[in-house]
Amino acid sequence: KETLFLYLIYLKKSFSFFKLNYSIFNLPKKKKLYTLNKSPHVNKTSREQFELITYKSVIVIQILKKIYAPLRYIFSNLPKTVSLKIQKI
């Protein structure tokens, strides 16, 4: 969560530096619960639960000209824990 938040701050500063029109929307988080047995042989009642929380944000950039060099620079500094998908509309 912190990595995504810091990366969004970096994107806001970069977009304002290159004077790009943008809007950022935070999507609802998704929780997934995993249950594992501690001991596979005898005790089925002893279990451990883990929770995986996924945070998502949508960034919409309005580009009037063909300015791809600043976008390559901005998205090249992507953290390892953040995944990025780019769609052209």
Side-chain angles (χ1 to χ4, degrees):
K1 179 178 179 180
E2 291 86 14
T3 309
L4 180 64
F5 179 70
L6 291 173
Y7 188 65
L8 288 176
I9 291 173
Y10 164 75
L11 286 178
K12 288 177 186 179
K13 289 181 182 179
S14 301
F15 292 155
S16 63
F17 178 75
F18 289 113
K19 297 176 183 170
L20 297 174
N21 294 331
Y22 68 94
S23 57
I24 297 175
F25 304 103
N26 291 324
L27 297 178
K29 61 184 175 182
K30 292 185 180 179
K31 292 183 181 181
K32 193 165 189 180
L33 191 67
Y34 293 103
T35 305
L36 299 174
N37 289 338
K38 285 185 182 180
S39 169
H41 300 293
V42 180
N43 299 330
K44 190 170 182 170
T45 58
S46 64
R47 296 181 180 185
E48 237 178 312
Q49 289 189 335
F50 300 98
E51 187 177 41
L52 179 68
I53 302 173
T54 306
Y55 295 92
K56 291 184 180 182
S57 293
V58 175
I59 304 166
V60 179
I61 307 169
Q62 297 174 356
I63 301 175
L64 300 177
K65 303 174 187 174
K66 292 189 176 183
I67 307 173
Y68 296 113
L71 290 179
R72 282 192 198 133
Y73 171 74
I74 291 170
F75 294 128
S76 67
N77 297 327
L78 188 68
K80 291 182 181 178
T81 58
V82 176
S83 63
L84 178 71
K85 186 191 299 185
I86 299 174
Q87 292 180 348
K88 187 175 179 182
I89 298 175

